[in-house]
Structure formats: structure tokens, C-alpha cells
């Protein structure tokens, strides 16, 4: 077994174009048999296309993100693209993570070596700028080198298609089946990296593409309400690439540039002030909440490192973090959907099967189209030809589908600011508007529990255990419907189980990006005589009870938020 592994490592070293990676593997090889477990993991299989592309730890070997894996992925992608659109334009963006620029340049060299045109964004920029560029530059495809909000040791590779290959619904959107499987097939057909032809490193675009994005972004707010711009915002890009772009977007839209957390303002792939650069993670927003309290800001906003997600926090006397409360992704989503509905934006409002059911109720009562998809913006962006708005509970929001057919944390932040400023002019807040919605539709409260595993087989075991013994009741209410999406044909076929009672819903599924099993919980509490506070207390107790019951059904003894 060790001999066979050693042969595979030597073969990979012979093909690896990066001297640092070759040295890394050679040191592990020289230390066998003590390094067998480490090498076996690195060679347990190649990274495969998951959520719109590759994502994994930065390390040498086929089961990591490195120059060899990127060259192979780019060669497979370019083969697939040139077969269908010879000589087309590939636009490439990258964030500030370790290796991102080098991976972007390598992709460009592979593309030009195959006869394609390649254009790199001018510097580390948000993912939505790349998605925008694919549409506006009439590119055949786009690549974004980013691991979004993953830990510092990770990087990734996302693929977007232009209208030529993605069609009207997929213009500038992330890839979906069968394109991902077809690209994966071409990647596996690349056997000798030394024989991949390499060309020049492409054209580096100037700031005109960024200026174009900013001009379009500024139009998401209402031009006829220039007075409603009085708003104090505390902001953090979480060491990511969103800071300057968001500040410029706010300025163009007529807002003051937000006060930014100094220690997190500049891009830094080491993410030194946070243990996990995801605004949903405990502690990630501590510094921006402290800044918001110090400045007495009206709201606090955070982008994740590639700025495609937008988190919002509001003053809350009983909240955590110096009297501030982070809004759940469902709360931000329905607030912005409600705002656009009241502004009269027609079309379909979409969300995912794990998000709050409130958007469905709002669309039904107000006469707007509604669509529901599997998790992920690769599905949401294609929810309907007349898509007006889309959001997922994990802080991904699309407020301008005609501009960026993907989640966009910059334009979402602008729309949050417009809504908050308009409410401030009426001496009201985002919390007040949430209370309005609760009075109108009932109080929809969502939560999540998850379990991280070391072995993905554990997830399969938990899903099998749940299927073998589905709960007949939850919260002392009978389960009125059970859906197993493995039994559903078409796009909604997935490893997902949905349980419903009269006042609750539970959705259980494996995570698409992390080694986790996730359960999404929702309860609906009616508001009596306008007393939303009392309804919130009841709902908080109910959702805690539901967490306990679902954990027991899954056999989880220790859960994380």
C-alpha cells in the first residue's frame, strides 16, 4: 500500500509545475511511512466540481488547491468551452487569498494557449464584479478564484457562463448540471500537465469595468429620493476585497462612506482578527458591533471576504454585542423583498427550500410571482425568466438580477441602507418594519442546527437513520406532511427531507460546501393584539424545543449553531 502510494506521489511530483509544491510532497515522501496518513488523504481522490466549481485546502496533491490542480481544471474547462465556442472570451477574477492571483494568471495562460481570449480583472475584487463582467463584456464564461467565507487555509475556483452557453436565465450565472459534470469529465481527461499548452497571461483590464459596475450598482436605489440618505453605518469587509468597492458604491448612491473597522479594512488572506471569516460565525462581527456602538450608528453591515454576502445588525437593548443584534438572513431577505414589493417592482420573488416560508406568504397575499429552488444561487439565479429578487438564508441576496445574476453583497448593502434611511426619516427602524410584517403575516422565526463530521459517511448514516424512523410528531403536533426530495424528479431532486406540522417546518440536508449535516427550523407564531414582543418570547421557547427534538431524531448529542 505504501509502495503504491509512493509511486502515485512520484508521478504527481513529475507533473507538478510548482517547485514549492514539488518540494512539499518530496518532504512528505521522504518521511514515509510516518506520513502515510497525510499523503493518503492528499491522494484520496481529486477535488471535484461541487457548488459551481472547486474548493479545498491549499496544499500540494490532487486533493487540494494548488497550481497543478488549477492547471488541470483550467485545461478541462477550456477544452469544454472551445468545443462549443472557439476563440471566445474568458474573464477571470480573483480575491486576496493566498494563491488567488497566481491561480488566475495560470488560468489565463491555459486559456490563451488554447486559442481563447483571456481578460483578468485589474486587482482583487468582489465576486459580483466578475459576475457583472461576464454579462457586460459578452464573455463566453468567467472564472472567479475565491473560497468566499471559508477558513484562511482554503481557496476555490468558481465558474460562470455567459449567455452564449448559459442561455438567458444563465447569463452570468454559476454553472449547473450537466455543464459541471461535462467539465469535470474533461478535467479528468487531462493526463499530462506538461503537455497543456500555455500562452500569454491575458489582458489585464483597467478600472473601467469597476467604474461600470459602480455606476450600475448606484441605480438600485431610488433616484427620486435623494433626501433619504441620512444614515450612519458601521462596516467591515472582514479582511476581504469589498471595502473600497462598497465605499465607492455608497458615495455614488448619495450616502456617506461607512465607518470601517480599521483592523479589518485592508484585504488580508490570513484573516488575523477572526477565527472564521464568515459573518454568520460567532465572534466574526464583534469588531464592527463595537464600532457601531462607539459611533452610535444606525446599522452595522458586514460583507464576507469576496463580498457576495451581506450581513446586517441593528441596535437592540437586549441583544448581544454591546446592545446590537445581528439579523438572520431570512430577516434581511424578507425586509428587502418587502421594500421592493412596496416600491412596485414586478416579477418573481424567489428563495430556497431552506429559507423562511414568509416570502411565499407575502407574494401570495400581494399578488407577486413566487418560486422556490434548491439551496445555492446557481439555482436561484435561474428561478424564473422575470426574476425580480432572490435570497437565501445564508446571507446571499440578489437585488438586481438584470445587473448581476448572482448574490451581490454590495448592491444588497445599498438597498439595506436605502430602506434604513427611509425608515429613519419616519423615526422608525428596521426592527419596526419587521414588527409590521409580523403583525400582517404572523411571526416567522427560523433557526439552524448543524453537526460537523470528520468522516462524510457519518452524514449518510444520519440521513439513513432519519429516513428509517421519521418523527410522527413535533412540538406535540402531528407531522402533517413528509417530503423526501430523493423521490422527486427534476431539478428539485436532492438528498433533502422536509417535515411539516401546522405551525412548524424542518428541512434536513447535507451541506454542499462543508462537512456538515444541517437542519433548518421554522416556527410560526400568531401575534395577538399587536404584541410582537410576547410572540417573540413564545417563538424563542418553541424554536429551542424544536432544536432539541430534531437533534434527538438525528441522533446528535452535541450541536453547533
Amino acid at each position: 500500500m505504501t509502495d503504491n502510494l509512493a509511486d502515485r506521489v512520484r508521478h504527481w511530483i513529475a507533473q507538478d509545475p510548482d517547485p514549492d509544491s514539488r518540494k512539499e510532497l518530496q518532504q512528505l515522501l521522504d518521511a514515509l511511512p510516518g506520513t502515510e496518513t497525510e499523503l493518503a488523504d492528499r491522494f484520496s481522490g481529486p477535488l471535484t466540481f461541487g457548488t459551481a466549481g472547486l474548493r479545498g485546502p491549499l496544499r500540494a496533491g490532487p486533493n487540494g488547491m494548488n497550481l497543478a490542480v488549477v492547471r488541470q481544471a483550467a485545461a478541462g474547462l477550456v477544452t469544454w468551452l472551445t468545443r462549443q465556442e472557439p476563440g471566445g472570451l474568458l474573464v477571470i477574477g480573483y480575491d486576496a487569498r493566498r494563491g488567488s492571483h497566481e491561480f488566475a494568471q495560470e488560468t489565463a495562460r491555459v486559456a490563451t494557449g488554447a486559442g481563447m481570449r483571456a481578460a483578468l480583472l485589474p486587482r482583487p475584487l468582489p465576486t459580483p464584479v466578475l459576475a457583472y463582467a461576464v454579462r457586460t463584456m459578452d464573455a463566453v464564461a468567467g472564472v472567479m478564484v475565491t473560497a468566499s467565507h471559508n477558513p484562511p487555509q482554503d481557496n476555490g475556483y468558481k465558474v460562470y457562463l455567459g449567455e452564449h452557453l448559459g442561455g438567458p436565465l444563465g447569463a452570468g450565472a454559476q454553472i449547473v448540471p450537466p455543464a459541471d459534470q461535462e467539465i469535470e469529465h474533461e478535467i479528468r481527461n487531462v493526463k499530462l500537465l506538461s503537455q497543456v499548452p500555455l500562452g500569454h497571461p491575458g489582458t489585464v483590464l483597467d478600472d473601467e469595468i469597476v467604474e461600470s459596475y459602480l455606476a450600475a450598482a448606484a441605480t438600485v436605489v431610488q433616484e427620486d429620493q435623494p433626501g433619504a440618505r441620512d444614515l450612519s453605518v458601521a462596516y467591515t469587509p472582514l479582511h476581504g476585497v469589498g471595502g473600497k468597492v462598497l465605499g465607492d458604491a455608497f458615495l455614488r448612491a448619495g450616502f456617506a462612506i461607512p465607518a470601517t473597522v480599521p483592523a479589518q479594512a485592508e484585504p488580508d488572506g490570513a484573516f488575523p482578527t477572526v477565527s472564521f471569516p464568515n459573518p454568520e460565525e460567532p465572534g466574526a462581527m464583534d469588531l464592527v458591533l463595537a464600532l457601531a456602538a462607539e459611533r452610535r450608528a444606525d446599522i452595522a453591515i458586514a460583507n464576507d471576504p469576496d463580498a457576495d454576502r451581506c450581513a446586517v445588525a441593528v441596535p437592540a437593548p437586549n441583544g448581544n454585542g454591546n446592545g446590537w443584534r445581528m439579523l438572520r438572513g431570512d430577516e434581511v431577505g424578507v425586509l428587502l423583498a418587502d421594500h421592493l414589493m412596496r416600491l412596485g417592482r414586478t416579477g418573481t420573488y424567489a428563495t430556497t427550500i431552506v429559507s423562511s416560508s414568509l416570502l411565499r406568504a407575502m407574494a401570495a397575499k400581494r399578488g407577486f410571482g413566487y418560486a422556490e429552488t434548491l439551496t445555492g444561487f446557481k439555482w436561484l439565479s435561474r428561478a424564473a425568466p422575470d426574476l425580480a429578487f432572490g435570497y437565501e438564508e445564508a446571507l446571499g441576496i440578489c437585488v438586481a438580477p438584470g445587473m448581476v445574476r448572482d448574490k451581490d453583497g454590495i448592491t444588497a448593502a445599498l438597498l439595506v441602507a436605502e430602506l434604513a434611511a427611509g425608515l429613519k426619516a419616519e423615526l422608525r427602524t428596521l426592527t419596526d418594519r419587521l414588527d409590521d410584517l409580523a403583525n400582517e403575516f404572523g411571526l416567522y422565526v427560523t433557526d439552524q442546527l448543524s453537526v460537523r463530521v470528520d468522516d462524510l459517511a457519518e452524514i449518510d448514516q444520519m440521513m439513513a437513520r432519519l429516513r428509517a424512523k421519521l418523527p410522527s410528531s413535533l412540538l406535540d403536533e402531528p407531522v402533517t406532511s413528509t417530503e423526501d426530495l430523493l423521490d422527486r424528479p427534476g431539478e428539485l431532486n436532492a438528498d433533502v427531507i422536509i417535515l411539516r406540522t401546522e405551525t412548524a417546518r424542518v428541512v434536513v440536508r447535507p451541506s454542499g460546501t462543508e462537512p456538515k449535516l444541517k437542519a433548518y427550523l421554522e416556527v410560526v407564531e400568531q401575534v395577538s393584539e399587536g404584541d410582537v414582543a410576547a410572540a417573540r418570547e413564545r417563538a424563542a421557547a418553541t424554536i429551542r424545543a424544536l432544536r432539541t427534538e430534531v437533534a434527538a431524531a438525528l441522533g446528535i448529542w452535541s450541536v453547533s449553531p
Side-chain angles (χ1 to χ4, degrees), residues 4 28 54 158 171 176 309 329 341 356 397 430 432 440 457 465 518 524 547-548:
N4 179 264
L28 290 170
L54 304 172
K158 296 175 71 173
V176 294
R309 287 173 169 84
M341 287 176 178
S356 173
I397 305 168
L430 294 178
D432 292 328
E440 183 177 358
R465 187 183 304 124
K518 294 185 174 183
V524 183
R547 278 175 62 88
T548 301

Side-chain angles (χ1 to χ4, degrees), residues 90-94 119-121 125-137 139 141-145 158-161 172 205 209 213 403-404 406:
L90 180 67
V91 185
I92 305 160
Y94 56 97
L120 273 72
L121 295 187
L125 285 163
T127 293
V129 178
L130 181 279
Y132 172 81
V134 171
R135 291 173 68 97
T136 57
M137 296 182 67
V143 166
M144 182 69 194
V145 183
K158 296 175 71 173
V159 178
Y160 293 76
L161 293 182
L205 300 171
I209 187 64
Y213 170 85
M403 171 189 167
V404 172
D406 196 25

Side-chain angles (χ1 to χ4, degrees), residues 52 159 161 173-181 378-379 381-382 491:
V159 178
L161 293 182
Q174 300 173 35
I175 55 171
V176 294
D180 52 359
Q181 291 103 331
K378 63 181 181 181
W379 304 114
S381 61
R382 296 170 170 83
E491 289 185 354

Side-chain angles (χ1 to χ4, degrees), residues 501-524:
T501 73
E502 185 178 347
T503 62
R505 186 199 64 183
V506 176
V507 183
V508 184
R509 73 173 186 98
S511 170
T513 57
E514 300 175 276
K516 284 182 175 182
L517 181 71
K518 294 185 174 183
Y520 302 82
L521 318 176
E522 180 179 56
V523 298
V524 183

Side-chain angles (χ1 to χ4, degrees), residues 46-357:
L47 286 184
T48 56
F49 264 53
T51 303
L54 304 172
R55 194 174 294 186
L58 285 157
R59 61 181 185 177
N63 194 20
M65 282 295 295
N66 53 68
L67 203 65
V69 166
V70 167
R71 180 180 291 187
Q72 186 180 33
L77 170 64
V78 165
T79 298
W80 184 81
L81 291 173
T82 54
R83 181 177 296 124
Q84 300 171 77
E85 193 79 19
L89 172 65
L90 180 67
V91 185
I92 305 160
Y94 56 97
D95 66 10
R97 286 176 179 264
R98 186 161 56 95
S100 289
H101 189 209
E102 293 79 6
F103 295 164
Q105 289 179 316
E106 186 74 2
T107 300
R109 293 174 67 209
V110 173
T112 58
M116 292 188 71
R117 292 172 292 135
L120 273 72
L121 295 187
R123 59 181 182 276
L125 285 163
T127 293
V129 178
L130 181 279
Y132 172 81
V134 171
R135 291 173 68 97
T136 57
M137 296 182 67
D138 197 28
V140 65
V143 166
M144 182 69 194
V145 183
T146 180
S148 190
H149 56 274
N150 272 40
Q153 63 268 25
D154 288 359
N155 212 328
Y157 197 87
K158 296 175 71 173
V159 178
Y160 293 76
L161 293 182
E163 187 169 1
H164 296 279
L165 299 180
L169 293 186
Q174 300 173 35
I175 55 171
V176 294
D180 52 359
Q181 291 103 331
E182 293 170 358
I183 294 169
E184 176 74 21
H185 176 74
E186 296 298 342
I187 292 171
R188 297 302 141 233
N189 281 339
V190 179
K191 303 301 182 185
L192 296 175
L193 295 182
S194 58
Q195 294 183 3
V196 174
L198 301 177
H200 62 84
T203 301
V204 178
L205 300 171
D206 59 26
D207 263 8
E208 183 179 343
I209 187 64
V210 185
E211 293 298 310
S212 177
Y213 170 85
L214 289 169
T219 65
V220 304
V221 299
Q222 302 298 298
E223 294 183 12
D224 59 353
Q225 295 178 332
R229 296 290 186 269
D230 176 21
L231 191 72
S232 173
V233 180
Y235 169 71
T236 179
L238 281 183
H239 299 293
V241 295
K244 187 178 188 314
V245 176
L246 182 134
D248 289 347
F250 266 60
L251 203 58
R252 293 221 180 184
F255 293 98
I257 295 177
T260 302
V261 175
Q264 297 175 334
E266 296 301 318
D268 187 341
F271 306 104
T273 67
V274 291
S275 57
F276 204 114
N278 179 352
E280 290 185 293
E281 291 291 324
M285 289 187 66
D286 284 357
L287 292 182
V288 74
L289 295 184
L291 178 64
E294 175 192 330
R295 297 293 186 96
R296 297 186 177 180
D298 298 306
I299 60 172
I301 291 176
N303 288 136
D304 65 338
D306 69 328
D308 65 350
R309 287 173 169 84
C310 176
V312 182
V314 295
N318 298 320
N320 296 321
N322 297 313
W324 282 71
R325 179 176 81 87
M326 181 173 166
L327 298 182
R328 299 191 67 84
D330 282 316
E331 292 176 309
V332 180
V334 297
L335 278 170
L336 294 184
D338 168 66
H339 180 54
L340 292 175
M341 287 176 178
R342 289 185 294 119
L343 289 175
R345 179 181 292 183
T346 58
T348 296
Y349 287 72
T351 191
T352 71
I353 59 172
V354 304
S355 301
S356 173
S357 305

